[in-house]
Amino acid sequence: MATILVVDDAKFMRLTLGNMLSSGGHEVVGEAENGLLAVEKYRELQPDLVTMDITMPELNGIEAVKKILAEFPQAKVIMCSAMGQQKVVVEAIEAGAKDFIIKPFDEVRVDEAIKRVLG
């Protein structure tokens, strides 16, 4: 299926999402715990898709998306946010994210978002 970079500052969330993605037939090719590492990992791995947390240290998810898309306009990013962050989700979509999923993750919703973004 798809190669995916999972970006979240919480190891537990990376693990949870990674397991969902793997069981859905995708390959998690890398992980990053902040936006700076996400940009570096994207350059190195150039995955089909990135799942990007919004609130992270060093560089937040929205800034990381802007940096990735500035270098790789074809990049596909799905933002991950907690409930009640609608304003930030809109900002993320405006920054170039293709979709968003809400924490806690629902496996069906995650799979739907990936299918929609990858077309």
Side-chain angles (χ1 to χ4, degrees):
M1 299 279 288
T3 57
I4 302 177
L5 171 63
V6 177
V7 183
D8 198 300
D9 59 329
K11 182 154 184 60
F12 171 76
M13 292 312 259
R14 293 195 309 271
L15 195 63
T16 302
L17 190 53
N19 288 338
M20 277 185 197
L21 296 168
S22 295
S23 70
H26 303 288
E27 183 186 357
V28 176
V29 291
E31 292 185 3
E33 62 266 11
N34 65 56
L36 282 178
L37 283 173
V39 175
E40 288 173 22
K41 287 273 190 187
Y42 191 92
R43 279 187 197 121
E44 176 192 327
L45 303 167
Q46 295 191 28
D48 298 325
L49 183 73
V50 181
T51 62
M52 179 84 67
D53 187 22
I54 292 177
T55 310
M56 294 183 293
E58 310 267 346
L59 189 67
N60 71 39
I62 291 170
E63 292 304 316
V65 167
K66 288 178 183 173
K67 282 187 180 290
I68 289 170
L69 287 171
E71 277 184 64
F72 304 94
Q74 80 290 355
K76 292 178 171 64
V77 182
I78 296 176
M79 299 306 290
C80 305
S81 74
M83 278 293 202
Q85 286 188 307
Q86 278 76 4
K87 180 179 174 282
V88 188
V89 167
V90 169
E91 204 179 321
I93 300 294
E94 287 170 353
K98 304 288 185 220
D99 205 342
F100 67 93
I101 47 180
I102 302 289
K103 296 176 185 179
F105 300 121
D106 171 67
E107 203 157 344
V108 173
R109 175 71 184 102
V110 169
D111 199 47
E112 285 170 356
I114 291 170
K115 284 184 178 134
R116 191 169 31 255
V117 169
L118 294 177

